[in-house]
Amino acid sequence: QVQLVESGGGLVQAGGSLRLSCTASGGIGSINAMGWYRQAPGKLRELVATITSDGITKYADSVKGRFTISRDNAEHTGYLQMNSLKPEDTAVYYCYAFLSRLLSMWDYRDYWGQGTQVTVSS
């Protein structure tokens, strides 16, 4: 089955950096878009950043200038470089992808990773 596996989360001090990765596996055909969402306790899940297949990026205002989203199409992997981290960045970060399978290249669906905890201490 299609699976998104995240890595790179953890505990970091304010001002530090983390790099999250998200690798899609399971007979991936084409990833139209990838992105990252985050959810803090008691808050709604919010969009952090997205990147299209042709490299167009969008960022939430709260992370603009600090976070960079990128992707390696050959590896079916997306990245989120997080710099100048703040305590308010603390959340569970979820990778998502809008992708198709090799078996059905025209059938695009949404997939989500399991989430990875990012904790920024002050």
Side-chain angles (χ1 to χ4, degrees):
Q1 310 100 303
V2 171
Q3 186 177 19
L4 303 183
V5 179
E6 300 148 321
S7 63
L11 176 65
V12 67
Q13 291 181 287
S17 298
L18 285 173
R19 181 177 171 88
L20 306 182
S21 64
C22 173
T23 298
S25 63
I28 305 302
S30 178
I31 302 178
N32 178 266
M34 299 189 74
W36 294 89
Y37 289 73
R38 67 186 182 186
Q39 187 168 28
K43 297 182 179 180
L44 297 174
R45 188 173 299 187
E46 65 174 345
L47 177 67
V48 177
T50 60
I51 184 167
T52 66
S53 59
D54 51 358
I56 298 173
T57 59
K58 298 288 185 181
Y59 298 93
D61 288 341
S62 59
V63 307
K64 200 169 297 181
R66 299 188 296 120
F67 291 10
T68 302
I69 188 170
S70 61
R71 61 187 289 174
D72 185 331
N73 291 331
E75 298 283 344
H76 296 144
T77 299
Y79 303 94
L80 184 68
Q81 179 66 46
M82 305 185 293
N83 298 325
S84 302
L85 283 162
K86 305 174 180 179
E88 51 262 44
D89 295 319
T90 296
V92 177
Y93 283 70
Y94 296 90
C95 174
Y96 94 90
F98 184 57
L99 60 82
S100 67
R101 301 164 62 208
L102 284 169
L103 291 173
S104 189
M105 292 288 289
W106 59 92
D107 184 12
Y108 286 83
R109 300 183 184 186
D110 294 302
Y111 294 89
W112 291 87
Q114 80 285 355
T116 184
Q117 178 69 47
V118 171
T119 302
V120 184
S121 63
S122 60

